[in-house]
Amino acid sequence: MRKHTKRLLSTAGVGSLAVSTIAAGMIGFGMTPASANDDHGGTTTPIKHVVVIFGENVSFDHYFATYPQAANTAGETQQGTGIAAPIFTAAKNTPKNIATLAHDNLLAPNNPNSVQPGRLSPSQAITCDQDHEYTAEQKAYNGGLMDKFVQNTSMDACTGGQFGRPGLTMDYYDGNTVTGIWNYAQNFAMSDSHFSTTFGPSSPGALNLVSGQTHGVTEFTATGQPVKPAASDYTVKFPDANGVGTMTEDPDPVYDDCSNKSHASKNNLAGMQGKNIGDLLNDKGVSWGWFQGGFAPTTAATTTTPAACQATHTNIAGATVTDYSPHHEPFQYYQSTANPHHLAPASMAEIGHDGQANHQYDTTDFAKVVNSDTMPAVSFLKAGSYQDGHAGYSDPLDEQKFITQQVNAIQNSKNWNSTAVILAYDDSDGWYDHVAAGVKNSSNTSDDAAWCLNAYNQGVPMAGGYADRCGPGPRQPLVVISPFAKKNYVDHTQTTQSSILRFIEDNWHTGQLRDGSADATAGSIKAMFNFENQRDIKLILNESNGTVVSRGKGDDEQ
């Protein structure tokens, strides 16, 4: 999400009439032809359903610093409930060669940063939000030394009962708090080499998931009028003569009535040119949808007034949080895949298909189809803000409830045997992580620090010639949950957010997005699967604490 101390765009109303009159301005990039053999009735693998649960703002070390060893400190309780924190005991055959802080001997007192890493307890789930801007994250890398996080991304004090301390960015949770995701890793497959496609916050991360592209953005006023480059408030970085540039911040989408509703100021908005994975799936007739908490409007649009999305929930600290965050919804930046007025599907049969909702839905709509023959082939699930895991207004315990609820429902559905659930994140929030991927896509602007500038000067290419797309960025968790996922497996293949995009493209023969999209070079996540061995597993977790309730008959023991 946007950094709270330097908000370039807030969330103000785009009138429904203004949105409807915005010119499309889309540039088609074309597709490469499908080349894989179709051995599975329309897909290249036995996977017929992909569900991406896309969380907020977590680095790999923030959740896995000591995996698979938890502190199991006596007497600890979970924030918000006061119930005893769960004990976590790792399986004996858990892989040992995992790039964690513990494995690489970078816990206290051996860390090169000015503050040593510290464990956050289950009673410290709500913390301050960290600095996760494009430049700040690069500066934290300090040319690859990974030792300037405290100076550049740590936000140590905040209000509203959130936990903070000097050097907070260095801190991490273990299996006594993020119990659910550790249990998924124990029973399915995880990666210790998965990264943001580029540096920066939520909106670029979401765009990299669905298009592998943060270039192609145009700026609009709060009323939906195009902005000339000279009048830009820097929503668009380094625009060309036509005002088209790169997104590195968190502007709200122009094709969304509910943009700019959460703040008094009405700042400029953004629209993307080009295509995304939704366009490619539509071209192939493959069902798909983005399902986000709070997408259903609290006030419907009329011919003269836009819809409003003001539903709220309370997090474990008792804070009231607005469910819907427009800049977390990447398909709303593209006119071709937007549902500006947040129209509900006309019927259950429309979900996943063309119709008035245009593939954009509330999470309640996913619950209607998960156990049906009409469950979409590709589904993206985004929690309401209080459950999305974003520090400041959400937390790992609220996030765990959403993830386990969705995964339990999928496993209990008729579609489980052909499904892959992918747990991934949009950015790192600026939380410390000690592993840097070598720069694969360089940049050379005033926004770039030594990590990216040195790569550019050494001849690392800049895809499409588009600046401010330096990456890969920070390392993040990635977990694959499926009957075809390898058991208790850790993949070391270097992947990015756009690797998920590439898997969907390859599985459904869509071809790739061009014009420098990161899908062309994204590493494969297929090593996390064994498509020749469908396991008899149904791992049902407790939605309150992430502990194991039951496993499949043939998969009871680790």
Side-chain angles (χ1 to χ4, degrees):
M1 192 175 183
R2 69 197 79 203
K3 177 189 170 188
H4 59 278
T5 57
K6 185 182 177 184
R7 183 172 288 118
L8 298 187
L9 286 180
S10 65
T11 39
V14 180
S16 56
L17 295 182
V19 170
S20 66
T21 58
I22 296 171
M26 296 294 159
I27 299 174
F29 294 149
M31 298 183 295
T32 57
S35 58
N37 292 325
D38 181 356
D39 295 326
H40 300 279
T43 58
T44 60
T45 75
I47 301 299
K48 303 299 182 183
H49 302 91
V50 166
V51 180
V52 181
I53 300 179
F54 204 51
E56 287 285 311
N57 297 54
V58 172
S59 74
F60 181 87
D61 279 340
H62 189 53
Y63 274 9
F64 285 100
T66 65
Y67 180 80
Q69 300 303 316
N72 294 332
T73 303
E76 288 189 333
T77 60
Q78 291 183 325
Q79 185 173 0
T81 65
I83 65 174
I87 299 298
F88 185 89
T89 303
K92 293 180 180 179
N93 62 342
T94 301
K96 301 294 191 293
N97 184 27
I98 309 172
T100 65
L101 289 180
H103 178 272
D104 294 343
N105 196 30
L106 287 173
L107 294 172
N110 301 315
N111 199 279
N113 281 271
S114 59
V115 173
Q116 295 297 301
R119 175 181 177 268
L120 293 164
S121 75
S123 64
Q124 297 167 330
I126 292 278
T127 68
C128 301
D129 182 17
Q130 304 300 288
D131 187 342
H132 43 288
E133 291 190 338
Y134 179 81
T135 306
E137 290 182 344
Q138 291 183 44
K139 289 181 177 179
Y141 273 41
N142 191 24
L145 297 176
M146 311 301 281
D147 62 356
K148 296 296 182 184
F149 281 81
V150 174
Q151 295 88 335
N152 291 289
T153 67
S154 196
M155 305 294 289
D156 303 336
C158 47
T159 60
Q162 302 164 24
F163 177 78
R165 68 138 185 147
L168 179 65
T169 186
M170 302 299 298
D171 290 352
Y172 59 88
Y173 294 102
D174 68 8
N176 304 132
T177 303
V178 288
T179 315
I181 197 168
W182 277 35
N183 273 319
Y184 288 134
Q186 288 275 288
N187 290 273
F188 300 101
M190 64 174 281
S191 170
D192 69 349
S193 190
H194 178 75
F195 299 83
S196 299
T197 300
T198 64
F199 289 91
S202 293
S203 297
L207 291 175
N208 281 317
L209 172 71
V210 304
S211 68
Q213 181 65 275
T214 53
H215 183 79
V217 64
T218 302
E219 189 164 0
F220 296 83
T221 67
T223 56
Q225 303 303 310
V227 175
K228 295 180 180 179
S232 172
D233 69 352
Y234 301 104
T235 294
V236 177
K237 302 308 295 286
F238 305 101
D240 62 20
N242 297 315
V244 179
T246 301
M247 186 188 297
T248 61
E249 295 288 346
D250 281 331
D252 278 353
V254 69
Y255 306 111
D256 194 326
D257 283 7
C258 295
S259 290
N260 275 342
K261 286 290 180 62
S262 300
H263 304 277
S265 61
K266 292 178 171 56
N267 292 316
N268 287 2
L269 304 168
M272 287 293 292
Q273 299 181 0
K275 287 188 175 185
N276 58 58
I277 186 60
D279 295 308
L280 299 190
L281 292 170
N282 285 340
D283 290 344
K284 285 289 184 178
V286 178
S287 59
W288 70 279
W290 179 280
F291 302 83
Q292 184 162 334
F295 191 85
T298 50
T299 303
T302 70
T303 56
T304 58
T305 60
C309 305
Q310 295 297 301
T312 63
H313 278 87
T314 302
N315 65 22
I316 60 169
T320 299
V321 182
T322 300
D323 289 343
Y324 182 63
S325 180
H327 73 271
H328 291 169
E329 222 286 27
F331 292 106
Q332 295 287 85
Y333 290 101
Y334 296 86
Q335 192 173 47
S336 61
T337 55
N339 178 359
H341 310 316
H342 291 239
L343 300 177
S347 67
M348 194 174 82
E350 181 192 316
I351 297 173
H353 302 278
D354 292 344
Q356 64 182 26
N358 201 22
H359 302 270
Q360 311 308 313
Y361 313 102
D362 193 88
T363 48
T364 56
D365 290 319
F366 183 75
K368 297 174 184 176
V369 295
V370 65
N371 190 31
S372 74
D373 292 331
T374 58
M375 177 181 170
V378 178
S379 301
F380 300 93
L381 303 188
K382 190 73 176 183
S385 292
Y386 79 110
Q387 288 186 317
D388 67 15
H390 193 301
Y393 59 77
S394 185
D395 59 277
L397 297 178
D398 279 316
E399 175 197 23
Q400 180 171 258
K401 290 180 181 178
F402 178 79
I403 292 174
T404 54
Q405 180 183 42
Q406 300 304 321
V407 176
N408 285 350
I410 293 166
Q411 291 185 104
N412 283 322
S413 78
K414 64 195 303 180
N415 299 304
W416 167 238
N417 287 337
S418 61
T419 296
V421 181
I422 301 173
L423 307 184
Y425 291 85
D426 62 352
D427 68 71
S428 70
D429 201 58
W431 294 111
Y432 169 65
D433 188 89
H434 75 287
V435 175
V439 177
K440 304 296 190 300
N441 191 36
S442 68
S443 183
N444 67 334
T445 73
S446 57
D447 289 341
D448 293 298
W451 183 243
C452 293
L453 291 173
N454 290 343
Y456 177 83
N457 292 331
Q458 292 168 10
V460 176
M462 188 163 59
Y466 303 137
D468 274 16
R469 298 175 63 216
C470 179
R475 191 171 60 142
Q476 300 171 337
L478 179 73
V479 178
V480 170
I481 304 166
S482 174
F484 294 98
K486 295 176 181 177
K487 183 178 180 179
N488 202 356
Y489 177 79
V490 179
D491 183 25
H492 307 302
T493 306
Q494 188 176 116
T495 59
T496 67
Q497 293 153 332
S498 301
S499 298
I500 302 169
L501 166 65
R502 179 65 179 270
F503 180 83
I504 296 169
E505 292 172 340
D506 291 347
N507 199 48
W508 278 278
H509 309 292
T510 67
Q512 293 176 18
L513 295 154
R514 296 181 177 178
D515 197 48
S517 171
D519 62 356
T521 56
S524 176
I525 66 171
K526 289 184 178 179
M528 303 173 77
F529 294 93
N530 181 350
F531 295 122
E532 304 303 318
N533 179 28
Q534 185 177 19
R535 295 164 55 203
D536 179 13
I537 181 166
K538 184 185 290 186
L539 183 79
I540 303 301
L541 299 187
N542 184 305
E543 295 173 9
S544 296
N545 62 19
T547 57
V548 176
V549 175
S550 64
R551 291 187 177 91
K553 295 179 181 178
D555 221 306
D556 291 332
E557 300 300 330
Q558 286 292 301

